[in-house]
Amino acid sequence: MPEDTTTTTTTQPMYYMDYEDRLIDEVETIARNYPIFADINSVNSSISVATLPASTTIRKYYDGIVDKEYVSELTVKAKASERELATKELAAIGAELAELSDIPSSNGSYDFGGITVTNELFFLEATTDGWIYFKLQIKSLLTVYKEQTNGEK
């Protein structure tokens, strides 16, 4: 019988920076009247949280650690009759996010440096079927750690 020359390779788990998930968790603790979704709104009244492509590197360190600014937007979708409730809810979320001292990573992939509201609540659109959309943009300062094989920073 021929000798088995195949080798078994183990793949490292893919590195995953969990900030957007933790941000959504924080928004869910603040929101009182609308369900929260990642990236897009639901078919009903809701708030979505999405990271935008405008994120920038502030500083790179020799060990691979990077200080970055991530830009995210929060969008509320509501019926026109809910306009006041929707705008108050989104404004309150923005104000509370700006006051947070920490949004801890669950996997050690980043350290939180704060949130700034970069665009206050603004009207985006109204649809012919009675939905209105308002947005709020935030900038998050994070120190992002490079992938480690032992799962530590």
Side-chain angles (χ1 to χ4, degrees):
M1 203 182 245
E3 184 178 327
D4 183 9
T5 58
T6 60
T7 57
T8 305
T9 58
T10 21
T11 58
Q12 295 293 325
M14 191 170 101
Y15 179 73
Y16 178 69
M17 205 259 302
D18 66 333
Y19 178 67
E20 187 173 12
D21 294 334
R22 301 298 71 81
L23 177 60
I24 290 169
D25 291 345
E26 283 297 327
V27 172
E28 284 178 335
T29 65
I30 299 167
R32 307 282 184 262
N33 300 297
Y34 296 96
I36 309 303
F37 292 88
D39 302 322
I40 58 171
N41 294 92
S42 73
V43 295
N44 297 313
S45 295
S46 60
I47 294 174
S48 63
V49 179
T51 301
L52 299 179
S55 302
T56 31
T57 298
I58 305 300
R59 185 177 299 114
K60 289 183 181 181
Y61 299 95
Y62 289 109
D63 58 1
I65 296 171
V66 181
D67 288 338
K68 297 191 93 159
E69 286 182 336
Y70 285 89
V71 178
S72 302
E73 68 181 8
L74 288 78
T75 306
V76 64
K77 173 187 178 184
K79 285 292 189 181
S81 60
E82 302 172 321
R83 183 183 199 283
E84 184 177 353
L85 177 66
T87 56
K88 283 182 179 180
E89 178 98 353
L90 197 55
I93 290 169
E96 288 193 42
L97 288 175
E99 295 297 319
L100 289 175
S101 61
D102 196 17
I103 299 178
S105 172
S106 65
N107 65 5
S109 59
Y110 70 87
D111 282 329
F112 179 76
I115 289 178
T116 304
V117 175
T118 56
N119 280 320
E120 295 290 336
L121 180 76
F122 62 93
F123 175 77
L124 180 65
E125 72 174 306
T127 63
T128 56
D129 55 349
W131 294 105
I132 55 172
Y133 294 81
F134 286 87
K135 285 192 183 274
L136 176 84
Q137 290 182 344
I138 61 171
K139 188 181 291 185
S140 305
L141 180 60
L142 304 177
T143 299
V144 180
Y145 298 99
K146 70 178 187 174
E147 179 180 5
Q148 297 285 324
T149 56
N150 63 0
E152 296 178 8
K153 296 180 199 173

